[in-house]
Amino acid sequence: MEKSLRKAVIAGNWKMNKNRAEAKALIEEIKPLVKDAGCGVIVCVPYTNLETALELCKGSNVGVGAENCHWAKSGAFTGEISADMLAEMGVEYVIIGHSERRQYFGETDVTVNQRVRAALDAGLRVILCVGELLEQREQGITEEICAMQTKVALQGVSEAELEKIIIAYEPVWAIGTGKTATADQAEEVCAFIRSVVEKLYNKKAADALTIQYGGSMNAANADELLSKKNVDGGLIGGASLKAPDFAAIVKAASK
């Protein structure tokens, strides 16, 4: 399947940034810059900004996502937000398994799978993050790590449900460090992840899957990264907080 038949998606991961007024200003700046985008555009914002984002993006081509969800529908989980709560608000997407969740908050491959299952059951679309640590790349086990994370996360996910999943390859050593995988490195691992999905499902399902690169993609390097056959967009951190930079990446993905 040609890359042109897959949907490229640029998603901004705002992380723990922006109050409601700042979120309103940024979204109002982004919307006109991306209104003619030839790719999917999503803003994933902190929970406190979801209502603001949903209201401002209504009727536009910009989708709204959350940055995490819990695996339980309800219960004694102080401080957590369920997938059903997000869906009831009108949220369409949720990021699951980001390396910062794994690194700082005890996320495991198993709990990633539980959250994926909960999100799909609630009708959400999932941006599933996988990627290796620097020491794992240096040990030559990037493929083993990405294969394991992908296989565990997709446990119990049907081929039909796979259509609601985007995988974001995020080498942990390139997140927020200013380091970026070369375009060839990004292509190599995204292609490998696609091969893992093909073995789990089939070639048609793998060819249709959007696989993003996320690891310090910015306005300067987006063109080269997005030119690669298996890189179908990006999960954007810092550059998503600057409307012109985010729009430049969307433009690169729209070619």
Side-chain angles (χ1 to χ4, degrees):
M1 185 173 188
E2 290 300 317
K3 178 177 178 177
S4 59
L5 299 178
R6 279 196 295 274
K7 186 174 179 65
V9 178
I10 300 297
N13 176 16
W14 289 15
K15 308 189 181 184
M16 195 176 72
N17 291 292
K18 304 296 181 184
N19 61 31
R20 284 178 296 175
E22 292 166 339
K24 181 176 187 290
L26 180 55
I27 290 170
E28 287 181 337
E29 190 178 358
I30 287 171
K31 279 198 305 181
L33 297 177
V34 304
K35 63 182 176 63
D36 298 319
C39 66
V41 182
I42 307 165
V43 290
C44 297
V45 305
Y47 293 131
T48 52
N49 293 336
L50 283 171
E51 283 191 317
T52 299
L54 287 165
E55 183 61 33
L56 289 170
C57 293
K58 195 180 297 180
S60 78
N61 64 321
V62 180
V64 176
E67 297 177 12
N68 191 31
C69 70
H70 198 266
W71 59 79
K73 282 184 170 289
S74 61
F77 300 102
T78 301
E80 291 295 323
I81 305 290
S82 75
D84 286 341
M85 291 173 180
L86 298 175
E88 187 267 339
M89 290 180 73
V91 172
E92 188 177 359
Y93 297 89
V94 61
I95 298 171
I96 294 178
H98 192 279
S99 67
E100 288 157 5
R101 300 300 311 174
R102 297 175 191 257
Q103 182 178 355
Y104 302 128
F105 302 105
E107 193 80 80
T108 68
D109 294 340
V110 171
T111 59
V112 167
N113 174 247
Q114 292 172 328
R115 293 177 203 272
V116 167
R117 185 69 265 158
L120 292 173
D121 288 344
L124 299 175
R125 294 182 175 275
V126 172
I127 300 173
L128 167 65
C129 300
V130 302
E132 81 283 11
L133 301 170
L134 178 60
E135 53 264 39
Q136 292 166 336
R137 173 164 281 272
E138 290 174 342
Q139 290 163 358
I141 57 173
T142 291
E143 290 189 352
E144 289 92 330
I145 295 298
C146 290
M148 181 176 69
Q149 291 178 347
T150 301
K151 289 176 180 178
V152 177
L154 295 178
Q155 183 72 34
V157 174
S158 71
E159 182 180 344
E161 289 173 325
L162 189 67
E163 295 176 7
K164 299 188 75 173
I165 290 180
I166 295 167
I167 293 181
Y169 166 54
E170 292 210 316
V172 181
W173 48 273
I175 299 171
T177 62
K179 294 180 181 178
T180 310
T182 66
D184 287 341
Q185 286 173 324
E187 166 64 16
E188 182 181 10
V189 183
C190 288
F192 172 74
I193 292 168
R194 199 177 304 284
S195 75
V196 171
V197 173
E198 180 176 345
K199 289 173 186 171
L200 288 175
Y201 298 91
N202 53 60
K203 189 173 190 306
K204 180 183 176 185
D207 283 345
L209 178 69
T210 295
I211 302 180
Q212 299 173 317
Y213 170 73
S216 298
M217 184 185 284
N218 55 48
N221 62 29
D223 270 314
E224 185 183 8
L225 286 163
L226 292 166
S227 71
K228 294 298 182 179
K229 187 169 79 168
N230 285 285
V231 180
D232 307 318
L235 181 57
I236 315 301
S240 71
L241 301 174
K242 302 171 185 174
D245 290 10
F246 188 62
I249 298 169
V250 168
K251 184 177 180 182
S254 299
K255 292 178 181 177

mmCIF file of all heavy atoms in Angstrom, residues 14 18-28 31 43 45-58 64 89 91:
data_model
loop_
_atom_site.group_PDB
_atom_site.id
_atom_site.type_symbol
_atom_site.label_atom_id
_atom_site.label_comp_id
_atom_site.label_asym_id
_atom_site.label_seq_id
_atom_site.Cartn_x
_atom_site.Cartn_y
_atom_site.Cartn_z
ATOM 1 N N TRP A 14 0.544 18.700 24.359
ATOM 2 C CA TRP A 14 0.872 19.907 25.117
ATOM 3 C C TRP A 14 1.540 19.611 26.456
ATOM 4 O O TRP A 14 2.104 20.502 27.079
ATOM 5 C CB TRP A 14 -0.394 20.737 25.356
ATOM 6 C CG TRP A 14 -0.942 21.399 24.137
ATOM 7 C CD1 TRP A 14 -0.637 21.133 22.831
ATOM 8 C CD2 TRP A 14 -1.902 22.452 24.110
ATOM 9 N NE1 TRP A 14 -1.355 21.951 21.993
ATOM 10 C CE2 TRP A 14 -2.138 22.774 22.755
ATOM 11 C CE3 TRP A 14 -2.598 23.152 25.099
ATOM 12 C CZ2 TRP A 14 -3.036 23.768 22.368
ATOM 13 C CZ3 TRP A 14 -3.493 24.142 24.712
ATOM 14 C CH2 TRP A 14 -3.704 24.446 23.357
ATOM 15 N N LYS A 18 0.010 25.372 29.658
ATOM 16 C CA LYS A 18 -1.089 26.268 29.265
ATOM 17 C C LYS A 18 -2.282 26.210 30.227
ATOM 18 O O LYS A 18 -2.858 25.159 30.476
ATOM 19 C CB LYS A 18 -1.594 25.968 27.838
ATOM 20 C CG LYS A 18 -0.520 26.025 26.756
ATOM 21 C CD LYS A 18 0.056 27.417 26.598
ATOM 22 C CE LYS A 18 1.101 27.475 25.509
ATOM 23 N NZ LYS A 18 1.745 28.803 25.417
ATOM 24 N N ASN A 19 -2.651 27.402 30.736
ATOM 25 C CA ASN A 19 -3.923 27.517 31.451
ATOM 26 C C ASN A 19 -5.031 27.738 30.424
ATOM 27 O O ASN A 19 -4.770 27.750 29.217
ATOM 28 C CB ASN A 19 -3.864 28.639 32.499
ATOM 29 C CG ASN A 19 -3.591 29.999 31.876
ATOM 30 O OD1 ASN A 19 -3.976 30.281 30.740
ATOM 31 N ND2 ASN A 19 -2.917 30.875 32.627
ATOM 32 N N ARG A 20 -6.248 27.932 30.878
ATOM 33 C CA ARG A 20 -7.365 28.010 29.920
ATOM 34 C C ARG A 20 -7.264 29.214 28.985
ATOM 35 O O ARG A 20 -7.528 29.098 27.792
ATOM 36 C CB ARG A 20 -8.706 28.014 30.669
ATOM 37 C CG ARG A 20 -9.094 26.636 31.190
ATOM 38 C CD ARG A 20 -10.394 26.664 31.962
ATOM 39 N NE ARG A 20 -10.269 27.483 33.168
ATOM 40 C CZ ARG A 20 -11.293 27.754 33.983
ATOM 41 N NH1 ARG A 20 -12.501 27.299 33.712
ATOM 42 N NH2 ARG A 20 -11.101 28.483 35.058
ATOM 43 N N ALA A 21 -6.872 30.344 29.523
ATOM 44 C CA ALA A 21 -6.745 31.541 28.680
ATOM 45 C C ALA A 21 -5.648 31.346 27.637
ATOM 46 O O ALA A 21 -5.804 31.723 26.465
ATOM 47 C CB ALA A 21 -6.458 32.764 29.545
ATOM 48 N N GLU A 22 -4.545 30.757 28.063
ATOM 49 C CA GLU A 22 -3.443 30.507 27.134
ATOM 50 C C GLU A 22 -3.833 29.465 26.088
ATOM 51 O O GLU A 22 -3.461 29.575 24.909
ATOM 52 C CB GLU A 22 -2.208 30.042 27.913
ATOM 53 C CG GLU A 22 -1.596 31.131 28.790
ATOM 54 C CD GLU A 22 -0.596 30.587 29.799
ATOM 55 O OE1 GLU A 22 -0.643 29.371 30.104
ATOM 56 O OE2 GLU A 22 0.227 31.388 30.293
ATOM 57 N N ALA A 23 -4.588 28.459 26.523
ATOM 58 C CA ALA A 23 -5.048 27.431 25.585
ATOM 59 C C ALA A 23 -5.968 28.039 24.529
ATOM 60 O O ALA A 23 -5.860 27.726 23.334
ATOM 61 C CB ALA A 23 -5.783 26.326 26.343
ATOM 62 N N LYS A 24 -6.857 28.919 24.964
ATOM 63 C CA LYS A 24 -7.773 29.587 24.035
ATOM 64 C C LYS A 24 -7.000 30.391 23.002
ATOM 65 O O LYS A 24 -7.259 30.309 21.801
ATOM 66 C CB LYS A 24 -8.727 30.494 24.816
ATOM 67 C CG LYS A 24 -9.763 31.229 23.967
ATOM 68 C CD LYS A 24 -10.709 32.017 24.872
ATOM 69 C CE LYS A 24 -11.862 32.625 24.078
ATOM 70 N NZ LYS A 24 -11.417 33.725 23.204
ATOM 71 N N ALA A 25 -6.016 31.130 23.462
ATOM 72 C CA ALA A 25 -5.226 31.969 22.554
ATOM 73 C C ALA A 25 -4.454 31.109 21.546
ATOM 74 O O ALA A 25 -4.404 31.431 20.350
ATOM 75 C CB ALA A 25 -4.258 32.832 23.360
ATOM 76 N N LEU A 26 -3.873 30.001 22.004
ATOM 77 C CA LEU A 26 -3.076 29.153 21.120
ATOM 78 C C LEU A 26 -3.955 28.461 20.087
ATOM 79 O O LEU A 26 -3.617 28.431 18.890
ATOM 80 C CB LEU A 26 -2.308 28.118 21.946
ATOM 81 C CG LEU A 26 -1.425 27.149 21.158
ATOM 82 C CD1 LEU A 26 -0.432 27.876 20.262
ATOM 83 C CD2 LEU A 26 -0.680 26.212 22.127
ATOM 84 N N ILE A 27 -5.086 27.930 20.510
ATOM 85 C CA ILE A 27 -5.970 27.244 19.562
ATOM 86 C C ILE A 27 -6.522 28.223 18.528
ATOM 87 O O ILE A 27 -6.615 27.907 17.334
ATOM 88 C CB ILE A 27 -7.111 26.521 20.309
ATOM 89 C CG1 ILE A 27 -6.543 25.325 21.084
ATOM 90 C CG2 ILE A 27 -8.193 26.043 19.334
ATOM 91 C CD1 ILE A 27 -7.517 24.675 22.036
ATOM 92 N N GLU A 28 -6.869 29.430 18.970
ATOM 93 C CA GLU A 28 -7.378 30.427 18.021
ATOM 94 C C GLU A 28 -6.300 30.852 17.024
ATOM 95 O O GLU A 28 -6.611 31.218 15.890
ATOM 96 C CB GLU A 28 -7.929 31.637 18.783
ATOM 97 C CG GLU A 28 -9.254 31.336 19.471
ATOM 98 C CD GLU A 28 -9.836 32.532 20.216
ATOM 99 O OE1 GLU A 28 -9.068 33.438 20.589
ATOM 100 O OE2 GLU A 28 -11.067 32.536 20.438
ATOM 101 N N LYS A 31 -5.900 27.434 14.536
ATOM 102 C CA LYS A 31 -7.000 27.043 13.632
ATOM 103 C C LYS A 31 -6.912 27.620 12.217
ATOM 104 O O LYS A 31 -6.988 26.866 11.240
ATOM 105 C CB LYS A 31 -8.356 27.388 14.267
ATOM 106 C CG LYS A 31 -8.836 26.378 15.275
ATOM 107 C CD LYS A 31 -10.324 26.478 15.571
ATOM 108 C CE LYS A 31 -10.752 27.863 16.009
ATOM 109 N NZ LYS A 31 -12.195 27.936 16.323
ATOM 110 N N VAL A 43 -5.092 18.336 18.741
ATOM 111 C CA VAL A 43 -4.428 18.940 19.895
ATOM 112 C C VAL A 43 -4.783 18.117 21.127
ATOM 113 O O VAL A 43 -5.953 17.917 21.435
ATOM 114 C CB VAL A 43 -4.805 20.432 20.100
ATOM 115 C CG1 VAL A 43 -4.208 21.281 18.992
ATOM 116 C CG2 VAL A 43 -6.316 20.646 20.169
ATOM 117 N N VAL A 45 -4.530 18.069 24.984
ATOM 118 C CA VAL A 45 -4.350 19.128 25.983
ATOM 119 C C VAL A 45 -4.555 18.589 27.396
ATOM 120 O O VAL A 45 -5.160 17.527 27.582
ATOM 121 C CB VAL A 45 -5.337 20.292 25.707
ATOM 122 C CG1 VAL A 45 -5.188 20.799 24.277
ATOM 123 C CG2 VAL A 45 -6.787 19.865 25.955
ATOM 124 N N PRO A 46 -4.079 19.328 28.422
ATOM 125 C CA PRO A 46 -4.342 18.918 29.806
ATOM 126 C C PRO A 46 -5.837 18.823 30.079
ATOM 127 O O PRO A 46 -6.651 19.510 29.434
ATOM 128 C CB PRO A 46 -3.700 20.049 30.628
ATOM 129 C CG PRO A 46 -2.670 20.652 29.731
ATOM 130 C CD PRO A 46 -3.236 20.537 28.349
ATOM 131 N N TYR A 47 -6.204 17.993 31.052
ATOM 132 C CA TYR A 47 -7.621 17.798 31.377
ATOM 133 C C TYR A 47 -8.354 19.117 31.595
ATOM 134 O O TYR A 47 -9.499 19.288 31.170
ATOM 135 C CB TYR A 47 -7.751 16.960 32.656
ATOM 136 C CG TYR A 47 -7.290 15.537 32.544
ATOM 137 C CD1 TYR A 47 -6.432 14.999 33.504
ATOM 138 C CD2 TYR A 47 -7.718 14.699 31.516
ATOM 139 C CE1 TYR A 47 -6.007 13.677 33.434
ATOM 140 C CE2 TYR A 47 -7.300 13.377 31.438
ATOM 141 C CZ TYR A 47 -6.445 12.876 32.393
ATOM 142 O OH TYR A 47 -6.027 11.567 32.319
ATOM 143 N N THR A 48 -7.694 20.083 32.252
ATOM 144 C CA THR A 48 -8.352 21.346 32.584
ATOM 145 C C THR A 48 -8.670 22.184 31.353
ATOM 146 O O THR A 48 -9.465 23.122 31.431
ATOM 147 C CB THR A 48 -7.471 22.173 33.546
ATOM 148 O OG1 THR A 48 -6.157 22.278 32.994
ATOM 149 C CG2 THR A 48 -7.402 21.529 34.915
ATOM 150 N N ASN A 49 -8.035 21.849 30.220
ATOM 151 C CA ASN A 49 -8.269 22.606 28.982
ATOM 152 C C ASN A 49 -9.186 21.893 28.001
ATOM 153 O O ASN A 49 -9.457 22.417 26.915
ATOM 154 C CB ASN A 49 -6.938 22.898 28.278
ATOM 155 C CG ASN A 49 -6.059 23.855 29.056
ATOM 156 O OD1 ASN A 49 -6.554 24.633 29.857
ATOM 157 N ND2 ASN A 49 -4.763 23.780 28.843
ATOM 158 N N LEU A 50 -9.664 20.715 28.369
ATOM 159 C CA LEU A 50 -10.448 19.935 27.403
ATOM 160 C C LEU A 50 -11.740 20.647 26.989
ATOM 161 O O LEU A 50 -12.058 20.724 25.798
ATOM 162 C CB LEU A 50 -10.767 18.547 27.966
ATOM 163 C CG LEU A 50 -9.596 17.561 27.931
ATOM 164 C CD1 LEU A 50 -9.940 16.294 28.710
ATOM 165 C CD2 LEU A 50 -9.220 17.210 26.489
ATOM 166 N N GLU A 51 -12.481 21.178 27.947
ATOM 167 C CA GLU A 51 -13.737 21.858 27.593
ATOM 168 C C GLU A 51 -13.471 23.068 26.702
ATOM 169 O O GLU A 51 -14.196 23.300 25.727
ATOM 170 C CB GLU A 51 -14.502 22.264 28.855
ATOM 171 C CG GLU A 51 -15.215 21.097 29.508
ATOM 172 C CD GLU A 51 -16.181 21.537 30.595
ATOM 173 O OE1 GLU A 51 -15.825 22.430 31.392
ATOM 174 O OE2 GLU A 51 -17.290 20.983 30.635
ATOM 175 N N THR A 52 -12.439 23.815 27.019
ATOM 176 C CA THR A 52 -12.063 24.970 26.206
ATOM 177 C C THR A 52 -11.728 24.532 24.787
ATOM 178 O O THR A 52 -12.209 25.107 23.800
ATOM 179 C CB THR A 52 -10.834 25.682 26.827
ATOM 180 O OG1 THR A 52 -11.180 26.145 28.138
ATOM 181 C CG2 THR A 52 -10.388 26.862 25.980
ATOM 182 N N ALA A 53 -10.915 23.502 24.666
ATOM 183 C CA ALA A 53 -10.499 23.017 23.352
ATOM 184 C C ALA A 53 -11.682 22.466 22.560
ATOM 185 O O ALA A 53 -11.811 22.732 21.351
ATOM 186 C CB ALA A 53 -9.425 21.947 23.508
ATOM 187 N N LEU A 54 -12.533 21.711 23.217
ATOM 188 C CA LEU A 54 -13.697 21.137 22.528
ATOM 189 C C LEU A 54 -14.610 22.222 21.987
ATOM 190 O O LEU A 54 -15.117 22.131 20.856
ATOM 191 C CB LEU A 54 -14.473 20.217 23.481
ATOM 192 C CG LEU A 54 -13.805 18.876 23.789
ATOM 193 C CD1 LEU A 54 -14.456 18.225 25.001
ATOM 194 C CD2 LEU A 54 -13.874 17.952 22.581
ATOM 195 N N GLU A 55 -14.824 23.261 22.776
ATOM 196 C CA GLU A 55 -15.697 24.358 22.340
ATOM 197 C C GLU A 55 -15.075 25.107 21.163
ATOM 198 O O GLU A 55 -15.753 25.402 20.170
ATOM 199 C CB GLU A 55 -15.930 25.321 23.515
ATOM 200 C CG GLU A 55 -16.870 26.461 23.204
ATOM 201 C CD GLU A 55 -18.275 26.014 22.816
ATOM 202 O OE1 GLU A 55 -18.739 24.974 23.340
ATOM 203 O OE2 GLU A 55 -18.904 26.699 21.969
ATOM 204 N N LEU A 56 -13.786 25.388 21.235
ATOM 205 C CA LEU A 56 -13.120 26.166 20.194
ATOM 206 C C LEU A 56 -12.930 25.369 18.899
ATOM 207 O O LEU A 56 -12.916 25.951 17.808
ATOM 208 C CB LEU A 56 -11.757 26.646 20.690
ATOM 209 C CG LEU A 56 -11.774 27.729 21.761
ATOM 210 C CD1 LEU A 56 -10.385 27.936 22.339
ATOM 211 C CD2 LEU A 56 -12.306 29.046 21.193
ATOM 212 N N CYS A 57 -12.774 24.063 19.003
ATOM 213 C CA CYS A 57 -12.508 23.241 17.821
ATOM 214 C C CYS A 57 -13.777 22.700 17.181
ATOM 215 O O CYS A 57 -13.713 22.070 16.116
ATOM 216 C CB CYS A 57 -11.583 22.083 18.193
ATOM 217 S SG CYS A 57 -9.923 22.619 18.661
ATOM 218 N N LYS A 58 -14.907 22.954 17.805
ATOM 219 C CA LYS A 58 -16.191 22.491 17.265
ATOM 220 C C LYS A 58 -16.378 23.033 15.843
ATOM 221 O O LYS A 58 -16.228 24.234 15.612
ATOM 222 C CB LYS A 58 -17.337 22.958 18.168
ATOM 223 C CG LYS A 58 -18.673 22.264 17.941
ATOM 224 C CD LYS A 58 -19.733 22.807 18.891
ATOM 225 C CE LYS A 58 -19.395 22.533 20.343
ATOM 226 N NZ LYS A 58 -20.432 23.055 21.267
ATOM 227 N N VAL A 64 -9.641 16.876 19.109
ATOM 228 C CA VAL A 64 -9.200 17.118 20.485
ATOM 229 C C VAL A 64 -8.934 15.789 21.181
ATOM 230 O O VAL A 64 -9.733 14.860 21.111
ATOM 231 C CB VAL A 64 -10.258 17.916 21.274
ATOM 232 C CG1 VAL A 64 -9.844 18.075 22.739
ATOM 233 C CG2 VAL A 64 -10.480 19.282 20.633
ATOM 234 N N MET A 89 -17.588 13.795 27.451
ATOM 235 C CA MET A 89 -17.310 15.202 27.161
ATOM 236 C C MET A 89 -17.301 15.494 25.662
ATOM 237 O O MET A 89 -17.469 16.638 25.248
ATOM 238 C CB MET A 89 -15.940 15.605 27.720
ATOM 239 C CG MET A 89 -15.844 15.676 29.212
ATOM 240 S SD MET A 89 -14.158 16.174 29.701
ATOM 241 C CE MET A 89 -14.198 17.913 29.247
ATOM 242 N N VAL A 91 -14.555 14.159 23.844
ATOM 243 C CA VAL A 91 -13.163 13.949 23.454
ATOM 244 C C VAL A 91 -13.104 12.764 22.492
ATOM 245 O O VAL A 91 -13.794 11.759 22.678
ATOM 246 C CB VAL A 91 -12.284 13.679 24.703
ATOM 247 C CG1 VAL A 91 -10.878 13.278 24.315
ATOM 248 C CG2 VAL A 91 -12.275 14.910 25.593
#
